Amino acid sequence: MIFSEIVIVGREILQGRVLDTNSNWIAIQLRNLGIRVRRIFVVDDVKEEIIDAVHSIVVRKPNIAIFTGGLGPTFDDITTSSVAEALGLELVEDELALKYIAEMCSRRNLPLTKERRKMALLPKGAKALKNELGMAPGVYFKHNNIDFFLLPGVPVEMKYIFENEVLNYLKNLEGREYYKEIYIEVHGIPESDLAPIIKSYKEKYEPVYIKSHPRGYESGLGYIVLHLSIFTGEEKELKLLDELKEDLIENLKNRAKKIAIVDSLK
Amino acid sequence: MIFSEIVIVGREILQGRVLDTNSNWIAIQLRNLGIRVRRIFVVDDVKEEIIDAVHSIVVRKPNIAIFTGGLGPTFDDITTSSVAEALGLELVEDELALKYIAEMCSRRNLPLTKERRKMALLPKGAKALKNELGMAPGVYFKHNNIDFFLLPGVPVEMKYIFENEVLNYLKNLEGREYYKEIYIEVHGIPESDLAPIIKSYKEKYEPVYIKSHPRGYESGLGYIVLHLSIFTGEEKELKLLDELKEDLIENLKNRAKKIAIVDSLK
């Protein structure tokens, strides 16, 4: 098993000014890679808050910690320096990061100012991750046996670096799992009545995870979407999901008004 | 100042299956009330994870902690019991909660099963918050000088309880602040060049918060949105925002290709 935690840095999200979609996008990528996300934090652009989140991560010991936001040139872009401070790492001007920034300056016909050079200050030994769509490089380093990735908050830049740099690291990690899921829409049986049925299947089909999501009740046409999902290190265990699906449909078909396999939760 | 923290409970969000919009909606309401959001957590439907988040909140001592998700009838709806365990509170069958649940059962013509009764188990001394749109009541209690609100994860139910119950509590809190903000779109000056200008205004206009957001760079038509915002206990300080706006526009108008006041970040 590989556990990951995600830290979104940005006051605009805490103020409700921007809907965070970065954590959702990253969570999808990680799930598709067979990596579990155990915690998402949204923290303020305040040194003490970032340090607090890093300390909490060091205690919780995920395998991977991915940060987004706060890598830019302004005074409140303090993610890298705060993470370094939290971990007791020295910041040094990184040659590769500076090269990336200088290339981008030259491409955009901009001078290499002090503010831009600041983005090349990385924890000693870290690796700069190339950002083709913006000025701030991403940052990778390993510390306390945790892989740290610091990525920009601008979604296209974050995605670019994730797909072109982070993905290569993650693909090579040992311990990734198989993942499979099925959604079943059940009409005509309230969630509270499904609850004991689901519970009765829980042990038998361990490690399949069964979650019920009520949908549409506000319109009076309520139904339940059952989400069956499995993370497992054993490929052969994936068939448990199909067996559970058959079992559930057989059990519910006479009681439900309608049962259907659907694509997603909506 | 009133600080709030938000905890979103739900594996579907950590798996990237559902985009969390509850925290954004709550953050907007709190900001409009003059309450600051300092941290958002997304945690798994796992007892130890919820307990860990509660312990972290108790250490961080916000004035308010709002939880959403995990109040329903199924085996993995464990928010209330986990929060209670984390705080050492006894769970008891609450008369008012049971009445609400029984009324909803009767309205929907459903029996009051064991699973439904489970939703009436609240920390001793807590107050049930009426949910007109679903079965699970919300929960309010004060502990360690923190106001805890536990709300359902289904957005319409969460919003209903927030607007009809939580809001009345929050409106009566002392220490709420005034909030005001302005967005200024600046074309033709890169973020790294704006950075020292913004920094030079920072101290002069304290406590105004200035944040630059790069937009549209991937299309080659990049510009910066400056978000000026102020939280203050002194109504008269709000005018600092307008003074800063004038000052900034005056300073930038000859250098920028275009400056415009806009409605939002987009």
Side-chain angles (χ1 to χ4, degrees), chain B residues 12 49 60 75 81 94 98-99 107 110 134 142 152 160 172 184 186 232 242:
Chain B
E12 66 278 16
E49 287 295 318
R60 294 166 50 76
F75 68 89
S81 59
D94 182 75
L98 193 62
K99 177 172 160 279
R107 202 194 299 177
L110 295 168
K142 192 164 188 135
Y160 177 88
N172 287 321
I184 308 176
V186 182
T232 173
D242 294 298

Side-chain angles (χ1 to χ4, degrees), chain A residues 22-252:
Chain A
N22 280 348
S23 64
N24 179 256
W25 188 89
I26 293 170
I28 293 170
Q29 313 311 309
L30 294 175
R31 184 232 304 149
N32 290 339
L33 286 162
I35 294 171
R36 301 180 189 220
V37 178
R38 192 170 55 183
R39 176 75 59 97
I40 298 169
F41 303 80
V42 183
V43 308
D44 205 350
D45 310 281
V46 166
K47 188 174 84 172
E48 292 70 23
E49 286 295 317
I50 299 171
I51 288 178
D52 180 78
V54 173
H55 285 166
S56 145
I57 283 175
V58 168
V59 170
R60 294 166 51 75
K61 292 192 192 306
N63 307 88
I64 299 165
I66 299 178
F67 289 65
T68 74
L71 299 192
T74 68
F75 68 89
D76 61 344
D77 285 313
I78 55 171
T79 299
T80 306
S81 59
S82 304
V83 171
E85 184 173 334
L87 299 172
L89 301 174
E90 188 190 345
L91 282 181
V92 292
E93 187 169 84
D94 182 75
E95 212 174 306
L96 184 63
L98 193 62
K99 178 173 160 278
Y100 289 155
I101 294 163
E103 279 172 7
M104 190 56 84
C105 283
S106 139
R107 205 195 298 178
R108 291 185 173 172
N109 210 10
L110 295 168
L112 185 60
T113 57
K114 192 179 68 174
E115 285 73 22
R116 294 192 178 105
R117 279 192 101 105
K118 189 197 82 169
M119 296 187 274
L121 287 176
L122 309 192
K124 201 172 177 175
K127 185 177 179 301
L129 307 176
K130 193 168 193 179
N131 180 357
E132 275 286 334
L133 301 175
M135 196 67 89
V139 182
Y140 165 73
F141 61 92
K142 192 164 187 137
H143 189 76
N144 277 0
N145 226 17
I146 300 170
D147 284 308
F148 284 87
F149 296 93
L150 316 184
L151 306 178
V154 178
V156 288
E157 299 180 28
M158 181 279 287
K159 290 174 188 175
Y160 177 88
I161 299 178
F162 193 99
E163 287 172 343
N164 291 282
E165 297 261 21
V166 180
L167 204 53
N168 298 326
Y169 285 85
L170 301 182
K171 276 184 179 162
N172 287 320
L173 291 177
E174 297 216 356
R176 291 201 285 128
E177 296 173 275
Y178 297 93
Y179 179 78
K180 197 175 171 184
E181 59 180 359
I182 297 171
Y183 295 96
I184 308 175
E185 226 178 80
V186 182
H187 294 252
I189 308 179
E191 189 178 31
S192 314
D193 294 340
L194 276 175
I197 301 172
I198 292 171
K199 196 171 179 183
S200 73
Y201 284 112
K202 199 191 162 212
E203 275 188 28
K204 184 170 171 199
Y205 290 101
E206 185 65 33
V208 178
Y209 184 72
I210 313 171
K211 175 112 184 174
S212 62
H213 299 275
R215 287 292 182 269
Y217 279 94
E218 60 274 25
S219 68
L221 297 167
Y223 58 92
I224 300 295
V225 181
L226 294 178
H227 180 219
L228 319 182
S229 63
I230 180 171
F231 258 118
T232 173
E234 303 291 330
E235 192 171 7
K236 63 180 193 302
E237 277 198 331
L238 291 175
K239 69 173 192 305
L240 283 172
L241 196 72
D242 294 299
E243 290 169 16
L244 169 59
K245 179 189 76 175
E246 300 301 330
D247 220 350
L248 260 174
I249 291 179
E250 186 60 32
N251 185 333
L252 299 176

